[in-house]
Amino acid sequence: MTLDIFFDPNSVAVIGASDSEDKIGGRPIAFMKRFGFKGKIYPVNPSRTVIQGLPAFAGLDALPETPDVAIIAVAGQAAVDAVGQCAAAGVKGAIIIASGFSELGAEGRLVEEKMRRTANDAGMRLVGPNSQGLANFATGAILSFSTMFIEAEPADGPIACLSQSGAMSVVPYGLLRARGIGVRHVHATGNDCDVSVSELAATVAADPDVKLILIYLEKLVDPEHLAKAAAVARDRGVPIIALKSGVSEEGKRAAASHTGAIASEDRVVDAFFRKHGIWRARNTTELVRAAELHLKGWRGGRRLAIISNSGATCVLSADAAEREGLKVAQLGPENEERIGKILPAFASSRNPIDITAALLSNGGLFGEVLPVVGSDPNIDMLLIGIPVSGRGYDFPRYARDTAKFMKEASFPVVVAAPQQSVRAAFAAEGVPVFETEDQAIAALAQFAMHREIIEHTQGHVLDQTGVVSTSGSAGDCKTLNEMRSLQIVADAGLHCARHLVCASVEDAVAVQREWARPVVVKAVSEEVPHKSDHGLVHLNVGGQDQVRSAYVDIADKMAALGKRFDGVLVSEMLKGDRELVIGANRDPHFGPVVVIGDGGIAVEAIPDNVLLLAPFSKQEFRGALARLRIAPLFEGVRGRSALAIDTLFEAATNLADLLRDDPKIRSVEVNPILVSADTAIAVDALVVRGGTCN
């Protein structure tokens, strides 16, 4: 059954219906009557015969037909019983408003699971429990009890607000309505025991009138449906902005490898969003601030033009642009000349363009300058700053001129004006308005960067793997020693430095003598994964006496630690142009997550790394490298050759494939991998097998 039944049902039963419009069982009835629901409403309450002017029924079995959807507004065992009754009656979908289930612990989760099985076995889908409900203002199917729909008058529009939290489904709605923007879908899924917010998003993304999707997530355990939603949205040109809160306990646990620690839940969510073209908002403000810009169908780009009647606003806007990663564009000389002929001699015709107080005496200046700026090929976006206006200023004309220009513009046009009356004049003409230049610039930057992510994603997103269960159970993971780890890495296709395990001083000395070159000597032990933390690595060991000394020192330290000692690993002392870290960690929900970045002993202390979800394309991989602080090194700097990116890509995909093909491997890390112009050599490796590491 598709979830569309919740958005446009032919009939709705409200179990636990109330005659009061201010009670949970009464609100959906009042809303459906008020906001144009065309279907049939069946209040169910054995204590009443009439509810809000509608015939009431003692139970589901008393209804004249089986409703498409039921709202369950009773609590505790009564809610559980109602689910069973709905399933037996053939109801297609039910929304459980009652709370007191999985949010209270394991016992509640068991009850939820039982309800889900009962529903699904009968072909019924469940939303909730602990749901505020679903609302579609296009059909009037307001299956919700939110007070916000009373406080902020609904209007159908091109935006969908979806959330696991009831409050965070309607807070963005309220903010958007305050700005005069219509909202079609407002859905809160609650505990997601069956229908997830991601699955709802996948359905909403196909709505032909939806142009922007806003999502609030407290947990993301259904990445497949969100990936599907993102794919549908990309095909339709619909942006998705998501606000994800919280970090799970799993993400806070210590990891056995640097890779495991780096690939925290929160960073993996970041990588997932980026992979699928979803902008991650940091707060409610970011969730809604660029909404109007996305609705206009404008193109992206970071080159900014600024026009103001204040020099200070010009300077402050330029400063804000630099902070937000935008570039104040250089207009073409012919356009600067044209603007210079329009403005007074004391005004500035260079970007930022300061019209000055001349605007007070000539209200047509904006209308004359805007087309010139708009014709310049170096411009991707425009900010109009009006810090001072009001009496004597023809700001309604400024608004009309801006709106006329905006209709022809292919790029974002926004206005910053602290005076409410001035903002209102522009807003009435459909121009996006902000109180300050900082807010306006931040919205422009968010829009531009989101467009870049979407454009980068187009055409190269590979199939997203589904939920991947971590093999084993908590506490049973095992760190392999260096020799076994390097063998696994070599079998996966990576080139490893020459190495041998030596169980005695004599063996170690013999290896160094045979190789006749400096070596690295390090302890071999499954019980000490990070050797350098304990002084168990000796570098550039150049002679037999140094080898003996290194071996004895390592053996003594291992004895002092009381850890198992399996000898030493003697390997070639090699050099590369750069030490990197590359690894893969198995995430329980997203599958193999690849980490790549600056390596060595400071990999966590001075982090510079990025995450990629497998599978990934070479284009994605190169894009990830470009986000590193050390990115210029890959192209070559100060006479040095470019690094072997193709070889690194092959190594990264090999490690991801290793985790995909061997479910027993939890994590694999190569640190460092020595990279030069044509090679990438694994020097050290760490493989963790088993389940979740504590």
Side-chain angles (χ1 to χ4, degrees):
M1 189 202 81
T2 67
L3 300 184
D4 291 316
I5 193 67
F6 288 109
F7 304 150
D8 191 17
N10 292 314
S11 55
V12 177
V14 181
I15 301 173
S18 173
D19 199 47
S20 171
E21 295 184 10
D22 289 329
K23 290 189 176 179
I24 289 175
R27 284 273 176 85
I29 297 171
F31 286 158
M32 283 187 282
K33 292 175 64 178
R34 184 180 308 166
F35 299 130
F37 179 59
K38 303 300 184 184
K40 296 177 181 178
I41 305 171
Y42 296 121
V44 176
N45 187 326
S47 302
R48 291 182 175 271
T49 58
V50 177
I51 289 177
Q52 296 187 41
L54 298 172
F57 302 86
L60 278 176
D61 55 357
L63 299 183
E65 63 176 327
T66 299
D68 285 339
V69 173
I71 300 172
I72 299 175
V74 292
Q77 186 59 41
V80 178
D81 294 341
V83 169
Q85 294 162 10
C86 289
V91 175
K92 297 175 182 176
I95 300 170
I96 307 172
I97 290 175
S99 58
F101 293 92
S102 65
E103 72 272 19
L104 299 182
E107 185 175 345
R109 279 192 291 273
L110 291 175
V111 176
E112 280 187 9
E113 177 59 22
K114 181 179 178 181
M115 289 193 297
R116 186 194 64 77
R117 287 199 305 269
T118 298
N120 291 173
D121 288 347
M124 184 173 77
R125 299 301 305 274
L126 289 180
V127 173
N130 195 27
S131 168
Q132 187 170 262
L134 313 180
N136 181 354
F137 290 103
T139 63
I142 317 304
L143 317 180
S144 169
F145 65 91
S146 175
T147 304
M148 188 67 78
F149 303 149
I150 300 172
E151 300 301 315
E153 187 69 16
D156 187 19
I159 298 181
C161 299
L162 295 86
S163 171
Q164 290 165 329
S165 156
M168 283 306 298
S169 68
V170 293
V171 167
Y173 160 88
L175 293 172
L176 292 166
R177 292 298 302 121
R179 288 157 61 172
I181 304 172
V183 179
R184 171 165 294 185
H185 296 277
V186 183
H187 306 317
T189 57
N191 293 359
D192 285 19
C193 86
D194 180 22
V195 175
S196 70
V197 70
S198 297
E199 190 175 358
L200 272 181
T203 304
V204 166
D207 185 327
D209 295 321
V210 167
K211 296 182 179 179
L212 176 65
I213 299 174
L214 308 180
I215 303 177
Y216 173 79
L217 294 163
E218 291 173 349
K219 55 185 177 180
L220 178 51
V221 295
D222 185 12
E224 308 100 315
H225 278 107
L226 191 52
K228 178 181 177 182
V232 173
R234 281 195 311 274
D235 288 344
R236 294 192 49 241
V238 175
I240 299 178
I241 302 173
L243 173 57
K244 167 69 172 65
S245 67
V247 179
S248 73
E249 285 304 311
E250 180 178 351
K252 297 176 183 177
R253 293 174 184 158
S257 68
H258 294 304
T259 295
I262 291 167
S264 65
E265 180 204 42
D266 207 47
R267 291 197 67 193
V268 174
V269 169
D270 274 342
F272 176 86
F273 285 167
R274 178 177 285 274
K275 180 181 183 70
H276 294 285
I278 298 171
W279 177 267
R280 184 173 187 179
R282 295 173 296 182
N283 48 51
T284 308
T285 299
E286 291 187 2
L287 189 62
V288 301
R289 72 181 177 193
E292 289 155 288
L293 280 65
H294 284 294
L295 298 179
K296 302 292 186 181
W298 284 324
R299 61 174 169 83
R302 298 197 185 198
R303 299 172 299 175
L304 173 68
I306 302 165
I307 303 175
S308 179
N309 62 334
S310 163
T313 296
C314 287
V315 174
L316 290 171
S317 299
D319 289 346
E322 183 175 348
R323 288 195 302 271
E324 295 288 349
L326 302 181
K327 180 182 179 182
V328 177
Q330 177 68 51
L331 299 178
E334 67 284 358
N335 286 326
E336 284 190 5
E337 183 179 350
R338 290 171 63 192
I339 293 171
K341 292 178 180 178
I342 296 170
L343 298 180
F346 53 84
S348 171
S349 60
R350 299 189 64 184
N351 189 28
I353 301 165
D354 180 9
I355 293 179
T356 74
L359 188 62
L360 182 61
S361 57
N362 183 355
L365 287 177
F366 270 128
E368 294 182 61
V369 170
L370 286 173
V372 180
V373 174
S375 68
D376 197 294
N378 296 323
I379 301 302
D380 295 320
M381 54 180 60
L382 172 64
L383 167 65
I384 299 173
I386 308 178
V388 179
S389 189
R391 182 174 176 178
Y393 288 88
D394 192 1
F395 59 86
R397 179 179 180 180
Y398 313 156
R400 291 193 301 271
D401 288 344
T402 302
K404 179 181 178 181
F405 167 76
M406 191 180 72
K407 289 177 183 177
E408 303 297 327
S410 61
F411 53 72
V413 179
V414 300
V415 169
Q419 294 166 281
Q420 194 279 332
S421 60
V422 178
R423 292 198 306 277
F426 280 91
E429 297 288 344
V431 180
V433 294
F434 300 87
E435 290 187 6
T436 68
E437 63 275 353
D438 275 355
Q439 295 170 353
I441 293 290
L444 288 170
Q446 178 176 326
F447 172 81
M449 288 185 277
H450 194 176
R451 292 302 312 169
E452 288 173 4
I453 292 173
I454 293 172
E455 289 164 9
H456 178 74
T457 302
Q458 293 285 4
H460 72 260
V461 172
L462 304 177
D463 290 339
Q464 170 64 29
T465 54
V467 175
V468 179
S469 298
T470 301
S471 62
S473 58
D476 70 352
C477 72
K478 180 179 180 181
T479 303
L480 305 186
N481 68 30
E482 287 72 6
M483 188 64 187
R484 294 178 65 193
S485 295
L486 283 168
Q487 186 59 55
I488 289 172
V489 166
D491 290 344
L494 276 72
H495 182 199
C496 296
R498 184 169 48 161
H499 58 275
L500 285 172
V501 172
C502 300
S504 67
V505 172
E506 289 73 19
D507 289 345
V509 169
V511 169
Q512 196 279 329
R513 183 190 311 118
E514 179 182 347
W515 290 353
R517 58 179 301 165
V519 296
V520 177
V521 182
K522 65 181 74 174
V524 175
S525 176
E526 294 177 347
E527 298 180 3
V528 186
H530 302 301
K531 309 297 186 292
S532 58
D533 293 349
H534 304 281
L536 299 173
V537 179
H538 289 246
L539 302 174
N540 205 28
V541 180
Q544 298 177 27
D545 290 341
Q546 289 183 6
V547 171
R548 289 191 180 90
S549 176
Y551 190 103
V552 171
D553 178 70
I554 289 171
D556 290 346
K557 287 177 177 175
M558 289 296 295
L561 289 170
K563 301 294 185 181
R564 174 178 171 177
F565 179 49
D566 298 322
V568 299
L569 186 80
V570 178
S571 60
E572 294 178 287
M573 183 71 195
L574 302 176
K575 289 185 178 181
D577 290 332
R578 194 72 183 184
E579 290 187 356
L580 300 182
V581 60
I582 190 166
N585 191 65
R586 186 185 304 280
D587 185 273
H589 302 302
F590 299 95
V593 181
V594 169
V595 174
I596 185 164
D598 210 7
I601 61 174
V603 64
E604 285 189 68
I606 311 175
D608 182 22
N609 47 67
V610 288
L611 273 58
L612 284 160
L613 298 188
F616 47 85
S617 66
K618 186 175 292 187
Q619 183 182 353
E620 283 182 271
F621 185 76
R622 286 180 172 271
L625 295 182
R627 299 196 300 274
L628 295 169
R629 291 193 301 274
I630 62 169
L633 300 181
F634 291 101
E635 303 302 327
V637 294
R638 300 182 70 89
R640 292 194 175 187
S641 299
L643 300 181
I645 294 179
D646 288 348
T647 304
L648 281 174
F649 171 72
E650 183 179 355
T653 53
N654 286 345
L655 294 186
D657 290 345
L658 174 62
L659 265 66
R660 181 199 62 196
D661 297 338
D662 188 345
K664 293 182 179 179
I665 294 182
R666 176 74 171 82
S667 177
V668 56
E669 175 180 290
V670 178
N671 183 33
I673 182 167
L674 302 179
V675 186
S676 58
D678 53 5
T679 61
I681 302 175
V683 173
D684 200 355
L686 179 65
V687 173
V688 180
R689 294 171 69 92
T692 304
C693 299
N694 293 303

